[in-house]
Amino acid sequence: MARVPTAPGSPTPEPAGPAYRRPVPLVGDDSSAAARAAAPDGWAMGEDVVAALGRVVAGRRDIRRFRPDPVPEPLLTAVLEAGHRAPSVGHSQPWRFVVVRDAGTRDRAAALADAARLRQAEGLTEDRAARLLDLKLEGLREAPVGVVVACDRRTPAAGVLGRATFPDTDLWSCATAVQNMWLTARALGLGMGWVTLFEPADLAGLLGLPDGVETLGWLCLGWPDERPPEPGLQRAAWSTRAPLADVVLEERWPAEGEGPTAPVSHLRGPSSARLVGATDAADAQLAAPRRSGCSTGSWPGCGRSVRARCGAGCSCWPPPTTRWPGSASARSPRR
């Protein structure tokens, strides 16, 4: 808007046209700064909403058994829309939702998960391996809808606001989308199960994903054929929920030895036979080479380190002396 020229010392005229209106948010609190100062909690949605949200969060479960009834399209759209409303680094929205309904594809996905489960069980303790093999994965076949959340990482991290320093924030963004979808499904009465027992390359190949697009696993979606009162792994005695005090730290990580313990590992340790074999192999690698001219071949390759076994008529006894760096005298090598 052009300003009207005035003589020096004259008062500045008011601009013509409508008065400027301060922009306000389209969603949430539209009050002024004074109103927000007077009521800091004015953005709260009310006790009923808070209570309902608490019930949804507490009632979320990883569902493994599903009914064959189809998922109505409006409900599926609501779940996907909730995922699409998740926060994302640099507002990049890197999630891609691959909706799978074909029974053949779901069956091949289940076969991939079964194979991966067997491979992982081989490395676990006997008890944990048995429990892993007992876990129900029928949801991959039973749930009428599968949603594979994929992260489109084809854009260089340095080109996305916030990813140059934390390059994996795009994956974290997709994980928040999964949480949104999960809670929405629970509120709608649908069941959802998150399955990650796949080799990522195998699942990507099954769905024809291009290079640079990575999956976060498979979400089984449908009407639940179970209503578990507690998380499945907790009911199966796989683990228990840690107290909140064990995972909350104030200001900084405590001194060494005083902080939280690392998550439990259930990897199988090496067997006694493997330990003995590895020790013997290491001894053989560290043994000094046999002296040329040794008539018996017993020092030190054959392990005969006692003079009674290697001395008479053998040119390798006594062993050669070695002058160690910094020593004033020559010493025999350790036997």
Side-chain angles (χ1 to χ4, degrees):
M1 181 182 301
R3 295 176 61 88
V4 179
T6 60
S10 301
T12 302
E14 292 295 327
Y20 172 76
R21 298 190 61 182
R22 178 179 62 85
V24 296
L26 299 179
V27 178
D29 190 357
D30 60 357
S31 65
S32 64
R36 293 193 297 271
D41 60 349
W43 208 26
M45 296 184 177
E47 294 182 358
D48 292 344
V49 175
V50 173
L53 176 62
R55 290 196 300 273
V56 173
V57 171
R60 181 202 57 79
R61 295 290 180 267
D62 195 7
I63 299 300
R64 297 298 177 183
R65 302 302 301 267
F66 293 85
R67 296 182 52 79
D69 309 76
V71 176
E73 198 65 26
L75 298 189
L76 174 60
T77 300
V79 171
L80 297 175
E81 180 66 31
H84 193 40
R85 288 185 176 273
S88 63
V89 58
H91 204 244
S92 56
Q93 305 165 78
W95 42 72
R96 306 291 181 260
F97 306 130
V98 183
V99 179
V100 181
R101 297 183 179 88
D102 180 69
T105 302
R106 290 189 280 116
D107 189 66
R108 289 192 293 274
L112 292 176
D114 288 338
R117 178 165 55 163
L118 290 173
R119 287 193 297 268
Q120 184 175 5
E122 292 175 355
L124 300 181
T125 62
E126 183 175 350
D127 173 66
R128 294 295 167 165
R131 296 189 189 192
L132 173 60
L133 297 177
D134 283 342
L135 292 180
K136 305 298 183 183
L137 293 182
E138 287 83 354
L140 289 166
R141 295 183 173 91
E142 293 178 351
V145 177
V147 180
V148 176
V149 179
C151 183
D152 194 336
R153 315 193 74 190
R154 292 177 292 179
T155 300
V160 178
L161 178 64
R163 275 193 66 201
T165 47
F166 284 85
D168 289 337
T169 44
D170 55 341
L171 292 171
W172 308 344
S173 301
C174 292
T176 65
V178 172
Q179 178 77 337
N180 275 13
M181 297 165 68
W182 214 335
L183 295 177
T184 301
R186 177 64 185 92
L188 295 173
L190 293 168
M192 180 173 284
W194 192 356
V195 182
T196 55
L197 285 170
F198 297 100
E199 291 296 335
D202 293 342
L203 184 55
L206 176 64
L207 302 176
L209 301 183
D211 292 339
V213 178
E214 301 180 14
T215 72
L216 278 75
W218 183 293
L219 302 178
C220 306
L221 182 65
W223 298 109
D225 202 21
E226 59 175 342
R227 297 178 182 178
E230 295 180 330
L233 292 182
Q234 188 169 319
R235 288 184 292 122
W238 184 277
S239 63
T240 59
R241 185 173 300 281
L244 180 62
D246 289 356
V247 298
V248 177
L249 308 175
E250 295 290 345
E251 306 299 343
R252 59 178 296 154
W253 196 272
E256 185 176 356
E258 299 179 5
T261 58
V264 177
S265 171
H266 301 294
L267 287 176
R268 184 196 305 268
S271 65
S272 299
R274 290 185 62 187
L275 284 175
V276 173
T279 302
D280 290 345
D283 289 345
Q285 292 291 329
L286 295 174
R290 188 177 65 192
R291 290 184 64 197
S292 60
C294 176
S295 59
T296 65
S298 59
W299 168 263
C302 67
R304 295 184 177 184
S305 59
V306 182
R307 183 174 181 177
R309 297 182 180 178
C310 185
C314 180
S315 61
C316 72
W317 187 269
T321 58
T322 301
R323 186 170 298 279
W324 300 90
S327 64
S329 60
R331 303 174 183 175
S332 296
R334 284 189 170 184
R335 299 299 309 276

